[in-house]
Amino acid sequence: MDTTDRTPGWTIAPEPVGSPVAAALWRAYYTEVSDRWYLLHEGRRTDPAELEREIAADPGDHLAPPSGRLLVARYGGAPAGMAGVRLLDASTAELKRVFVYEDMRGRGGAALLVTAAEDAARALGATRMVLDTRGDLVEARGLYARLGYRETAPHNDEPYAEHWFGKDLASVSPSV
């Protein structure tokens, strides 16, 4: 998906889950959200051994085709962020791992990633997108609300999920 006509400098395209770019983005994402949780609840950063275990335990295979997609945003050609989508059932997709490097935030990349993930979900046959997030990730919750997501009842029992959102993709025209 080339987004340069709407937001100069940004491009978004599918990325293999196991690529070095995907691995670097996953590490940055997990480090940030884990550190934020531990700093809030225990006053410390993530233990390096735990970080390695958790990254190894979830390589993101659920975001690979045929039932998922990992999208990477590039700004000026350099990797800047990612978002994943996976089918939960024939009509419901789940948004995962929305992340933009800190020095790239505020340039519109996160909204472009979510919109591209919605397009990918539609291409997979989904008519609804769901997601979960934590209470301390206020920026994420604000982004989802701005993009038309509404809080819903829980759709999973993830241990760190505190807020669940959904959006009807059928009533929104895909971006082109």
Side-chain angles (χ1 to χ4, degrees):
M1 170 181 186
D2 185 349
T3 58
T4 53
D5 59 325
R6 289 176 286 149
T7 308
W10 289 99
T11 58
I12 299 176
E15 181 80 20
V17 170
S19 78
V21 167
L25 285 161
W26 171 224
R27 177 174 293 282
Y29 166 84
Y30 190 82
T31 300
E32 181 174 328
V33 296
S34 182
D35 280 354
R36 282 179 71 163
W37 191 90
Y38 278 115
L39 286 168
L40 179 65
H41 295 282
E42 297 183 12
R44 66 174 179 88
R45 295 196 178 279
T46 308
D47 175 83
E50 178 188 12
L51 180 69
E52 295 307 318
R53 276 193 314 273
E54 293 301 318
I55 288 172
D58 184 5
D61 294 341
H62 57 282
L63 302 177
S67 61
R69 298 290 181 277
L70 179 65
L71 304 170
V72 167
R74 287 177 168 77
Y75 188 83
M82 68 175 176
V85 61
R86 69 173 177 164
L87 285 177
L88 296 179
D89 60 43
S91 62
T92 308
E94 184 177 33
L95 183 62
K96 304 291 290 179
R97 297 186 185 182
V98 177
F99 175 75
V100 174
Y101 284 124
E102 187 173 5
D103 63 341
M104 298 305 300
R105 294 177 188 160
R107 301 178 191 202
L112 290 172
L113 276 163
V114 172
T115 300
E118 292 170 354
D119 291 346
R122 282 186 200 89
L124 292 169
T127 57
R128 180 164 176 74
M129 182 85 88
V130 296
L131 64 96
D132 66 68
T133 191
R134 295 192 327 233
D136 63 307
L137 300 176
V138 294
E139 306 91 342
R141 291 190 352 253
L143 170 70
Y144 301 136
R146 280 191 310 279
L147 296 176
Y149 287 81
R150 300 292 173 247
E151 288 215 42
T152 65
H155 65 271
N156 62 29
D157 59 359
E158 291 292 326
Y160 297 104
E162 297 170 317
H163 296 269
W164 293 262
F165 289 84
K167 182 176 182 179
D168 179 7
L169 298 178
S171 65
V172 181
S173 58
S175 64
V176 275

